Every structure is written in structure tokens, then in C-alpha cells.
Amino acid sequence: MWNSRIISRRCCGGPVLAMTLLFTGLGILFLLLSASVPGAVFIAVGILSEGLCFILSRSRCRQSYTGPLRTR
């Protein structure tokens, strides 16, 4: 199943996932401290970064695991 492979370190895991979790955590912390606008911005940035990674690497990650266009 390629959905579990897209969160691997090679595709959208690793630094992108860490950044997403960091920004979402900071957003939740801001929401708990009653700073709703910065909290919503941090949560949105975290979710959008992971979403953009999913969209932009969807074909690249699928090709790297299936292998038809792999040159190295």
C-alpha cells in the first residue's frame, strides 16, 4: 500500500513530518494560552506543509517504489 510508504523518510516523513508536528504542537499550545489567531496560523502552516508534500511528492514516491522510471 503506497499510503504507508508516502510517510516514509524518503517521501514525506522525516523533516517535513517533524516540522508539521512542531507547528501543530505550537498551534495547540497557543490555543490553550488563548492566543487563537497565532494558534490557528501555526496549525494551518503545519497541516498545509504536510499536505503540499503529499501533493508534490505523490508521483515521485510512487515511482520510486514501483520502479519504472527509476534510473539509479
Side-chain angles (χ1 to χ4, degrees):
M1 180 181 265
W2 75 274
N3 289 333
S4 62
R5 290 185 216 146
I6 202 162
I7 303 177
S8 70
R9 178 179 246 195
R10 186 175 188 171
C11 294
C12 287
V16 176
L17 186 61
M19 183 180 70
T20 298
L21 293 175
L22 175 72
F23 283 153
T24 304
L26 284 173
I28 291 171
L29 181 67
F30 277 126
L31 286 176
L32 291 175
L33 295 174
S34 298
S36 60
V37 174
V41 169
F42 272 103
I43 290 172
V45 167
I47 291 172
L48 287 175
S49 66
E50 190 71 26
L52 283 174
C53 184
F54 284 154
I55 291 170
L56 294 174
S57 68
R58 182 176 41 187
S59 63
R60 181 179 65 88
C61 290
R62 187 179 299 149
Q63 290 170 359
S64 68
Y65 283 105
T66 56
L69 298 177
R70 199 169 175 188
T71 57
R72 293 182 190 192

